[in-house]
């Protein structure tokens, strides 16, 4: 597989430290092409037979752009820059012949780039890499955490689309060891049996759920109902990497503070009191609207001394879990918006613990009213 993009020349550890600093990015630079220039001519994805994995629908529900500008893709992306590139390794049982294909999300087409590799399993394996220039063009030195988060979101989108199609449980690899691809999602062909109930969602999503997912424009006022907040937090915690990250929710009045799930995962408990949202707004690249959001789901961890593999794994898993939590929030009628850029966001130190151990990695702002509803009153 072509090594299309490596870690930043300075190293990921140094890149994350700089991204967390108060240093501001410089002026925008050219973003380059919005999609990777795959070799070969574009070809449409054929309709699937009754026993084949429907790749056309899988990609339409996960990574395809909703219009030719590419801005309205189902997967959230920092600055709507969509740096994630997808190479499909197709085995038997799919609507495309076996082989390797590059996917063009703007045109919803594939480019045949080579034969299948030896030992290709049935179904499709999606290898996710990034073209860093797209995100660096706007975010500069803050780009690499965002690139990893975006990749996690894309992996979750593929997983959810596979569940809509009713195939067996997909295998998601985001162990942080590889520079390219950063994540791999293997989706089996349908086998005619009922798939296992997924662990990360209460019920399988519908196509409408996935096509309707969007980042709600701010403001996002209104404290979510306790049951909805618990469900969103539980979704993130189940998907969030088995202790790799800690998950909590900053809530506003009438009793502002930080909430977390109890060990059994059935109820919420308060572990810190006080208003955290203005501080979060300052840490989140000064996004003032976050101070008035009803709540903010927080993924935190990834200590200062984390190595490259840990950094990749934590950020990939945070993006993955926040994406699933985003869909869960929308299904509970909430407004939701991922927040990925964080500076000086040492949550542990702010709560009196040792500094450098518990940084905010990703967040999902939550509210009960959408911006258009708020502006119409």
């Amino acid at each position: 597989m072509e090594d299309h993009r490596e870690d930043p020349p300075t190293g990921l550890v140094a890149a994350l430290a700089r991204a967390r600093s108060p240093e501001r990015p410089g002026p925008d630079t050219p973003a380059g092409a919005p999609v990777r220039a795959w070799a070969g001519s574009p070809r449409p994805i054929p309709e699937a037979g009754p026993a084949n994995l429907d790749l056309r629908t899988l990609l339409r529900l996960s990574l395809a752009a909703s219009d030719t500008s590419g801005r309205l893709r189902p997967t959230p992306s920092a600055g709507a820059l969509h740096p994630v590139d997808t190479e499909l390794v197709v085995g038997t049982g799919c609507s495309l012949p076996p082989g390797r294909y590059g996917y063009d999300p703007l045109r919803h087409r594939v480019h045949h780039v080579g034969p299948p590799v030896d030992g290709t399993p049935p179904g499709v394996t999606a290898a996710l890499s990034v073209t860093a220039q797209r995100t660096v063009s706007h975010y500069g030195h803050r780009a690499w955490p965002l690139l990893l988060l975006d990749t996690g979101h894309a992996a979750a989108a593929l997983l959810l689309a596979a569940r809509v199609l009713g195939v067996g449980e997909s295998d998601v690899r985001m162990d942080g060891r590889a520079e390219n691809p950063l994540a791999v999602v293997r989706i089996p062909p349908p086998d005619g049996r009922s798939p296992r109930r997924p662990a990360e969602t209460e019920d399988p999503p519908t196509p409408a759920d996935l096509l309707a997912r969007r980042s709600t424009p701010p403001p996002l006022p209104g404290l979510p109902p306790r049951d909805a907040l618990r469900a969103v937090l539980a979704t993130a915690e189940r998907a969030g990497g088995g202790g790799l990250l800690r998950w909590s929710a900053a809530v506003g009045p009438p009793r502002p503070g930080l909430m977390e799930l109890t060990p059994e995962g059935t109820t919420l408990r308060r572990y810190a009191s006080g208003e955290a949202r203005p501080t979060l707004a300052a840490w989140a690249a000064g996004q003032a609207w976050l101070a008035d959001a009803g709540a903010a789901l927080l993924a935190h961890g990834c200590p200062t001394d984390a190595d490259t593999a840990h950094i990749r794994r934590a950020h990939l898993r945070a993006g993955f879990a926040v994406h699933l939590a985003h869909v869960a929030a929308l299904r509970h009628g909430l407004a939701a918006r991922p927040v990925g850029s964080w500076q000086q966001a040492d949550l542990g130190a702010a709560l009196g613990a040792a500094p450098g151990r518990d940084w905010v990695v990703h967040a999902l702002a939550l509210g009960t009213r959408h911006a258009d509803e708020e502006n119409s009153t």
Side-chain angles (χ1 to χ4, degrees):
M1 192 173 295
E2 180 187 356
D3 188 3
H4 183 61
R5 175 59 59 183
E6 298 180 349
D7 278 342
T10 56
L12 191 55
V13 174
L16 178 60
R18 190 178 176 199
R20 286 172 168 172
S21 78
E23 179 186 353
R24 298 181 65 85
D28 284 3
T29 58
V35 297
R36 184 171 165 184
W38 299 101
S41 301
R43 60 176 72 179
I45 305 170
E47 292 186 9
N52 288 338
L53 177 61
D54 185 353
L55 296 179
R56 181 193 292 182
T57 300
L58 176 80
L59 294 165
R60 182 175 63 83
L61 293 177
S62 56
L63 303 178
S66 297
D67 66 10
T68 55
S69 75
R71 185 172 179 83
L72 299 180
R73 299 192 201 180
T75 51
S77 172
L81 293 164
H82 300 287
V84 180
D85 301 320
T86 306
E87 182 173 317
L88 306 171
V89 182
V90 177
T92 58
C94 293
S95 53
L96 280 169
R100 290 168 40 238
Y101 300 86
Y103 178 59
D104 180 342
L106 295 186
R107 299 167 184 83
H108 194 37
R109 295 288 187 267
V110 293
H111 296 247
H112 185 258
V113 295
V117 297
D118 292 340
T120 296
V124 65
T125 301
L128 306 179
S129 59
V130 294
T131 297
Q133 179 185 358
R134 294 183 207 141
T135 301
V136 170
S137 68
H138 180 64
Y139 291 96
H141 66 275
R142 294 177 179 174
W144 267 95
L146 301 172
L147 290 160
L148 295 167
L149 295 174
D150 278 8
T151 305
H153 277 275
L158 285 163
L159 177 72
L160 289 173
R163 289 178 178 166
V164 165
L165 295 178
V167 301
E169 189 66 2
S170 303
D171 177 41
V172 181
R173 193 195 79 202
M174 297 184 297
D175 58 20
R177 297 174 185 172
E179 295 176 1
N180 182 54
L182 287 167
V184 175
V185 182
R186 188 173 73 82
I187 300 168
D191 59 9
R193 296 178 295 178
S194 298
R196 288 189 293 117
R197 190 185 183 106
E200 288 90 350
T201 54
E202 297 165 328
D203 297 295
T206 66
D209 290 330
L210 301 191
L211 292 174
R213 111 198 90 176
R214 290 287 180 268
S215 297
T216 307
L220 280 72
L223 178 65
R226 195 176 183 89
D227 286 349
L229 186 61
R230 183 205 60 78
V232 172
L233 191 53
T235 296
E237 193 162 280
R238 285 193 296 266
L244 179 66
L245 295 163
R246 185 177 178 185
W247 295 88
S248 59
V251 299
R255 295 183 62 206
L258 292 172
M259 310 292 291
E260 65 182 1
L261 287 175
T262 56
E264 64 274 12
T266 56
T267 57
L268 292 172
R269 66 183 181 191
R270 186 178 307 271
Y271 76 91
S273 298
E275 180 59 89
R277 295 173 303 159
T279 299
L280 294 173
W283 286 346
Q287 297 184 72
W289 62 267
L290 190 57
D292 298 315
L297 172 74
L298 302 174
H300 42 109
C302 198
T304 301
D305 59 1
D307 62 17
T308 295
H310 186 126
I311 292 168
R312 288 199 202 105
R313 188 166 60 249
H315 285 78
L316 290 166
R317 184 58 64 171
F320 181 84
V322 165
H323 191 91
L324 297 179
H326 188 177
V327 173
L330 298 180
R331 298 187 77 197
H332 280 81
L334 301 179
R337 183 177 184 84
V339 183
S341 189
W342 294 91
Q343 289 77 51
Q344 299 180 288
D346 190 341
L347 183 63
L351 295 174
R357 309 307 304 165
D358 196 28
W359 296 86
V360 177
V361 174
H362 201 12
L364 182 69
L366 300 167
T368 57
R369 287 179 290 175
H370 291 257
D372 53 354
E373 295 171 341
E374 181 72 6
N375 293 337
S376 66
T377 58

